[in-house]
Every structure is written in structure tokens, then in C-alpha cells.
Amino acid sequence: SQQSDQQLSESPLSPFRGVDLSPALHPLNKTLVKGGKWKDVDNAQEKRRSFLHDFCKKYNSRKKLRTHLVHLVSRIYVEDRHKVLYCEVPKAGCSNWKRVLMVLNGLAASAHNISHDDVHYGKHLRKLDSYDLKGIYTRLNTYTKTIFVRDPMERLVSAFRDKFEHPNSYYHPVFGKAIIKKYRHNANEEALKTGSGVKFKEFIQYLLDSHRPIGMDIHWEQVSKLCYPCLINYDFIGKFETLEEDANYFLQLVGAPAELKFPKFKDRHSSDERTSAEVVRQYLKELSKEERQLTFNFYYLDYLMFNYTSP
């Protein structure tokens, strides 16, 4: 209706007021980059930026989105010293990114001795939604905004392995129980009681169910809904597949201390094989052709925005 649209655009809390939705692609400030070794990384960066920018111009989801600004920025971490905003995409290097942000912020001397629990449960880093509206807008418009993404199927399989194939005191009782109860027809009492042992096929049935017995979770939520890349104009798009080069180039761009390098270590279950294309293939074998197609459809926007090849 025209009238409600009108009201929406005039409301001072309108989700789009001040969010940079201009079609202009701001050039990256490269004045702090030292040495000539970043040429290839930079070229890849510029390609990704213009690809996403062109995609968003074509797709223009602005009309469809009525999400409040505070929700739009709820996954974004703030580092005020180097003026960095980092949107967290789980299973795409986020634990090590948080370690780096803590070092940038002066909360830790090195990224290497911060435990996993300290990264995720120690309340060290502020999120953008904890600031007032003016604080949010100022940072969105002046800080360097980055997002790191990963091939959607690899990210999904990685999340499944992490949360369901290892003991977990939250995901098994909360998600596991609900999934087994709804999708395993002959579940035994033990499985129903503990929620352990969810199979990949059951997990996918839950993911694709429009009447899910339990809500979504950030580990398998679409990047388009975690970080809103067509509404928030990210300056830097890193990929898990080139994580270290991208991250170290980004650290140069924002003037990080020279000795700070992105950590190489795998955060958890370090003895497990990393989730690779081959590992993903094994998991996808457990699904029917239709389930595979529907899972791809579920992540369709993520594939498109970040130019990943469909499986």
C-alpha cells in the first residue's frame, strides 16, 4: 500500500535511513598497503566487489526487505581503533577473525593464546547493534566493512560435522532431540533422550522443512540473511578458500601492526580432515537428487552473490 510505504520512508527509524544503499562502489583506500606482493589478491578483491555490486543492482532486494536496521547489523563486530566492521559468518574463519579483532583492539597481545571459549563466550568484542542509532550510522558510513564467506555446501557440511558429529551440550539436546523426534520414524529411547547421532539426511530434512520443529541457527543460516550484503555495502569480500592471503591483505589495508598475521590453525577438532569438496561429495551421496537440488536452492542467493559454482 502506498500510504504505509510513505510512512516507512519518513519514519526516523526507517531501516534504510543512512545505510549506504547508493549504487556507488567506494574505492578501497590502499594507501597503507606496503610492497608489491598483493597485486593478485587485490585484483581478485576488485572482481568480487564489482561482481557483488552488479548482482545487487540487478537483484535490488530493497523493496522486499522490511527488516529493522538494528537487526541488519546484529552479526557485525566492531573494532574501533582501526575502524573495522566484521560481519560474522560461522564456519568461514570466524573464530580466528575474532581473535584478530581482539588483538587489534588491544584486548590480547597475540592471536595464538586465546582459547575457543574465550573467543566465543568472553564478552570482549562489541557488536554494532549495541550502539545507538547515530553510533551505528556513523560506523556503517565511515568504517571499513568486511565479510568472509565460504562455498555454501562446504560451510553447511562443516557446520553439521562440528555440531552433530562431536559431543555438544547445546546442539544435541536442543537441535538433535527435535530433529530425531520429527524425522526418525523408529527412533530408540536413547536417541530421543540424548539427541545424539543425527544423520546428515535428517539434518537436511530439518533444514528444508518450512515447519521446522526448531528454528534456524547462525551456523547454517544463509549469508544473505546474516550479513545482508545487498543492503550493507561491504568494502572487502574475503573467501575461506583464500582465507590467509585475503585476511593478511585486509590487515594491511586497515593499518594493522606489521607483526599481526592471520592465524593458520584450525580452531577445533584439529585432527579432523578439513571439510573439502571431496568430503562434501561423500555427505551429499546420502541425499536424494531432489534433496540435493532443494539444498542448493536454499543457498541459491549465496551462490549467486559470491560467484560460487553450483555443485
Side-chain angles (χ1 to χ4, degrees):
S1 72
Q2 192 132 30
Q3 203 212 337
S4 65
D5 263 9
Q6 198 52 40
Q7 281 170 343
L8 202 106
S9 61
E10 285 165 9
S11 135
L13 295 183
S14 166
F16 304 115
R17 202 191 57 143
V19 179
D20 185 7
L21 293 171
S22 64
L25 189 61
H26 299 299
L28 263 177
N29 176 0
K30 296 170 191 173
T31 48
L32 298 170
V33 177
K34 294 174 183 58
K37 65 172 185 173
W38 301 107
K39 207 160 115 42
D40 293 348
V41 188
D42 181 63
N43 285 339
Q45 189 50 234
E46 291 300 346
K47 282 201 181 81
R48 285 174 203 163
R49 278 161 44 93
S50 57
F51 186 91
L52 177 63
H53 178 254
D54 293 345
F55 168 79
C56 292
K57 235 173 20 193
K58 284 203 292 275
Y59 173 73
N60 192 358
S61 60
R62 184 174 176 173
K63 297 182 267 305
K64 299 175 198 148
L65 206 93
R66 287 283 177 260
T67 312
H68 196 281
L69 174 75
V70 175
H71 176 72
L72 285 187
V73 302
S74 63
R75 309 284 352 139
I76 296 181
Y77 284 85
V78 178
E79 199 285 285
D80 281 317
R81 282 187 178 184
H82 298 78
K83 299 191 162 35
V84 169
L85 296 181
Y86 163 70
C87 187
E88 175 185 29
V89 175
K91 310 312 299 170
C94 74
S95 302
N96 280 337
W97 258 118
K98 288 185 194 169
R99 289 185 173 93
V100 166
L101 292 176
M102 284 168 70
V103 175
L104 285 175
N105 217 344
L107 296 164
S110 146
H112 289 272
N113 41 23
I114 309 169
S115 75
H116 180 271
D117 283 359
D118 209 22
V119 166
H120 290 285
Y121 309 111
K123 300 269 178 261
H124 305 292
L125 296 164
R126 278 186 77 172
K127 285 200 179 138
L128 194 49
D129 63 357
S130 70
Y131 294 83
D132 63 9
L133 277 177
K134 183 170 182 288
I136 293 176
Y137 286 130
T138 307
R139 286 171 178 78
L140 273 180
N141 289 321
T142 59
Y143 283 21
T144 308
K145 302 178 285 297
T146 184
I147 179 176
F148 272 69
V149 298
R150 182 176 186 176
D151 172 280
M153 288 299 185
E154 279 187 28
R155 185 176 156 243
L156 177 68
V157 170
S158 174
F160 172 77
R161 294 173 73 198
D162 180 22
K163 302 306 176 200
F164 296 102
E165 292 185 353
H166 294 274
N168 191 300
S169 58
Y170 172 70
Y171 285 89
H172 294 205
V174 176
F175 285 85
K177 267 193 204 169
I179 290 173
I180 289 170
K181 187 175 170 204
K182 180 157 185 187
Y183 308 106
R184 190 178 297 177
H185 301 305
N186 49 358
N188 63 35
E189 219 168 304
E190 174 69 5
L192 288 166
K193 198 175 86 212
T194 63
S196 295
V198 168
K199 294 181 172 60
F200 186 62
K201 191 179 175 76
E202 295 166 336
F203 172 66
I204 294 300
Q205 286 174 303
Y206 142 79
L207 185 79
L208 300 174
D209 188 347
S210 56
H211 302 285
R212 284 187 201 102
I214 181 153
M216 270 307 272
D217 180 87
I218 61 166
H219 291 84
W220 42 88
E221 181 66 278
Q222 298 108 315
V223 177
S224 54
K225 289 190 181 160
L226 287 170
C227 296
Y228 299 98
C230 280
L231 289 170
I232 293 171
N233 216 338
Y234 289 97
D235 303 294
F236 192 94
I237 299 147
K239 290 197 166 178
F240 184 78
E241 293 75 13
T242 47
L243 178 60
E244 281 161 42
E245 305 95 284
D246 290 349
N248 287 323
Y249 180 51
F250 180 78
L251 289 173
Q252 288 257 318
L253 285 171
V254 298
E259 66 280 4
L260 178 60
K261 296 281 177 279
F262 194 79
K264 281 185 162 69
F265 58 85
K266 183 171 175 348
D267 191 48
R268 293 218 289 182
H269 318 310
S270 49
S271 59
D272 286 10
E273 185 189 352
R274 266 201 198 267
T275 304
S276 61
E278 188 40 54
V279 170
V280 169
R281 209 169 291 128
Q282 298 308 320
Y283 280 83
L284 293 180
K285 277 183 187 160
E286 298 172 32
L287 308 180
S288 69
K289 204 173 161 169
E290 188 195 15
E291 285 167 329
R292 286 198 291 264
Q293 182 61 48
L294 289 169
T295 308
F296 168 69
N297 297 350
F298 186 81
Y299 291 107
Y300 183 56
L301 268 185
D302 288 2
Y303 274 100
L304 285 181
M305 287 179 167
F306 302 109
N307 201 10
Y308 280 109
T309 349
S310 50

